[in-house]
Amino acid sequence: MSVSRRALLATAAGAAAAGTSAVPAAADTAEDRQPSGATLRTLRAAADYAVEKVRTVAPGATGFPVGTKFEKWTYSRNGDWVGGFWPGTLWMAWLYSEDDAFRAWAVESARNLAPRQYDTSTHDLGFLFYPSWVTAWRLTGDDEWRTGAIRAADSLIQRYNPRGKFIRAWGALADRANAGRVIMDTMMNLDLLAFASRQTGDDTYLDIAVEHARTAQRVFPRPDGSTPHVFDFDPDTGAPVGPNTVQGYSPTSCWSRGQAWGIYGFTTMYRRTGHKEFRDTARKLADFAIGALTPDHVPVWDYRAPQQPHDIKDASAGAIMACGLLDLHAATGRHTYREVALRLLTALADTCLTRNSARADAVVARCTRNRPAEDGIEVSLPYADYYLLEGILRVLRPEDVHRAIDLSRRA
């Protein structure tokens, strides 16, 4: 028996809403809900292109896309840290197209992440399990996804250092290397813990997320709202050591993708907790990033690298930032955030898609993975494709995106 997409969404929405008094965060004015006709046409055309590209590539995918080489995806069998974005992209394609082939591919791909539920060697369990397993549960109501996501949260909280009140980013639990290293990216993994607390009634998960966010809020933002990629602590005492970087230009620069993770992550933590200081931190980071954008609205890879504003781009930072700004607009009512988000999305749609290549597997080009390591310069990255679709659907289909990833906020 086939079940319609709308019926599945209605069932899952009821399941996801059980036991919560969350308030939808997408209460925009009529003006906010109606971008210009030209913008809507641009975003629909980009979504159409993305969905057709994914439809072409998905049947031949041999794992989880990690990045492109000569415009073709390279794959990881276990998902690396990016495994959640491919099933997440497939779910977004399903929401937009209503084609159940995408649903089947998303389910098949997400199941291949099952062994990672027990992985205590990485902080990236939110990236792995939220857009894949949490979304799968919200859209299907199948409890296997919920149970697995909670197991992943159990693995993640083992990385919490109670002395410094942070979640360590890298390295196995027994590995002394990087034991005190915190990175901005971890802000995006905290929502998995918020999910686990809502589902289990155990506040431990959310308490750890809040403590980590408060630590990040204390040490990352500079007075002007810029941030470093890394902050180091003494893992034994929890004492701060100082800022550092791996993927940014320097400890005093501002890696654009990390800034975008911060905007999105702090806004999400505000929605999950109602703590206004997280919203205010997100605004501080957003205001800096908006001021640092070049006129073409495609972020350079580091806002303070010596060759900016004429340096190489990172379109993935633009897609992530757009999603965070749309969220921040809903949280603050400040229209500038939505306006800039729309400019970011249209800039990516106009100048960064792979339309001119007959061989490209990905949707978004002009991404930079790790400039200091000369790793992945002017390539495509799976999170750029995912967040582009998420951002476009936040504009075109906000209720569908809410059902998929939960855009609610505390009452």
Side-chain angles (χ1 to χ4, degrees):
M1 180 180 71
S2 64
V3 181
S4 74
R5 166 180 170 271
R6 289 293 175 188
L8 278 167
L9 289 176
T11 300
T20 179
S21 59
V23 177
D28 298 335
T29 66
E31 177 184 355
D32 293 326
R33 289 197 301 268
Q34 297 297 328
S36 72
T39 296
L40 290 174
R41 286 191 295 274
T42 296
L43 297 184
R44 289 190 186 112
D48 289 343
Y49 176 76
V51 167
E52 289 311 306
K53 177 64 70 175
V54 174
R55 191 195 308 276
T56 299
V57 172
T62 58
F64 299 97
V66 174
T68 54
K69 185 175 183 179
F70 302 116
E71 299 184 279
K72 294 296 183 183
W73 284 127
T74 60
Y75 292 98
S76 166
R77 298 298 296 176
N78 77 347
D80 196 76
W81 73 271
V82 298
F85 295 118
W86 179 241
T89 299
L90 293 165
W91 283 122
M92 292 294 152
W94 179 61
L95 288 172
Y96 183 74
S97 69
E98 305 188 21
D99 182 346
D100 282 342
F102 290 110
R103 181 182 184 275
W105 288 323
V107 166
E108 179 184 13
S109 177
R111 285 209 170 104
N112 290 330
L113 287 172
R116 302 295 299 277
Q117 298 168 61
Y118 307 99
D119 186 353
T120 61
S121 69
T122 178
H123 71 127
D124 284 318
L125 291 161
F127 282 132
L128 288 168
F129 283 91
Y130 203 101
S132 56
W133 285 51
V134 173
T135 293
W137 175 69
R138 289 182 61 81
L139 293 182
T140 71
D142 189 333
D143 203 54
E144 72 169 298
W145 305 113
R146 172 185 174 275
T147 301
I150 293 169
R151 286 197 195 104
D154 288 331
S155 297
L156 180 55
I157 61 174
Q158 293 184 52
R159 301 182 64 77
Y160 181 64
N161 182 318
R163 294 173 296 279
K165 297 184 178 180
F166 62 80
I167 296 170
R168 65 175 291 182
W170 296 317
L173 296 178
D175 184 1
R176 292 289 299 172
N178 296 311
R181 179 145 284 192
V182 179
I183 66 175
M184 181 61 82
D185 317 38
T186 306
M187 288 301 303
M188 293 294 290
N189 292 306
L190 302 182
D191 204 19
L192 180 67
L193 301 183
F195 171 80
S197 277
R198 290 196 305 276
Q199 296 304 311
T200 64
D202 184 347
D203 290 338
T204 301
Y205 305 99
L206 184 58
D207 288 347
I208 287 174
V210 168
E211 289 302 325
H212 177 93
R214 284 175 172 159
T215 298
Q217 176 185 276
R218 187 177 71 251
V219 302
F220 276 95
R222 304 182 183 110
D224 66 357
S226 65
T227 60
H229 176 209
V230 172
F231 197 95
D232 288 322
F233 293 84
D234 182 316
D236 297 321
T237 67
V241 175
N244 210 321
T245 198
V246 172
Q247 290 178 255
Y249 178 78
S250 77
T252 60
S253 71
C254 185
W255 178 50
S256 62
R257 190 159 72 245
Q259 192 81 1
W261 292 139
I263 295 165
Y264 195 141
F266 277 110
T267 305
T268 299
M269 284 301 295
Y270 166 68
R271 288 196 291 105
R272 300 304 183 219
T273 66
H275 296 337
K276 294 180 180 178
E277 63 267 29
F278 295 146
R279 178 200 61 193
D280 295 343
T281 299
R283 288 193 62 175
K284 189 172 185 178
L285 270 57
D287 291 346
F288 174 85
I290 290 170
L293 286 173
T294 49
D296 65 357
H297 279 79
V298 181
V300 295
W301 74 278
D302 190 303
Y303 293 126
R304 286 186 169 158
Q307 294 180 344
Q308 69 81 29
H310 308 294
D311 212 330
I312 60 172
K313 300 290 188 173
D314 182 9
S316 74
I320 297 158
M321 182 177 167
C323 293
L325 289 177
L326 289 169
D327 220 5
L328 190 55
H329 164 256
T332 65
R334 187 180 179 198
H335 301 302
T336 298
Y337 296 138
R338 182 176 174 88
E339 292 164 2
V340 175
L342 291 171
R343 290 191 203 116
L344 286 163
L345 292 171
T346 54
L348 298 179
D350 285 338
T351 68
C352 295
L353 300 190
T354 57
R355 286 190 178 105
N356 293 331
S357 173
R359 60 177 280 114
D361 280 349
V363 177
V364 182
R366 303 182 72 193
C367 299
T368 299
R369 181 164 43 212
N370 188 336
R371 179 73 170 90
E374 293 295 328
D375 173 27
I377 311 301
E378 292 287 345
V379 298
S380 296
L381 298 168
Y383 34 96
D385 287 8
Y386 171 78
Y387 287 109
L388 177 72
L389 265 179
E390 182 192 304
I392 291 174
L393 266 65
R394 279 173 177 264
V395 178
L396 301 181
R397 305 270 188 90
E399 292 183 357
D400 281 350
V401 176
H402 169 61
R403 293 185 180 106
I405 65 173
D406 185 5
L407 297 178
S408 61
R409 66 175 183 265
R410 282 175 59 93

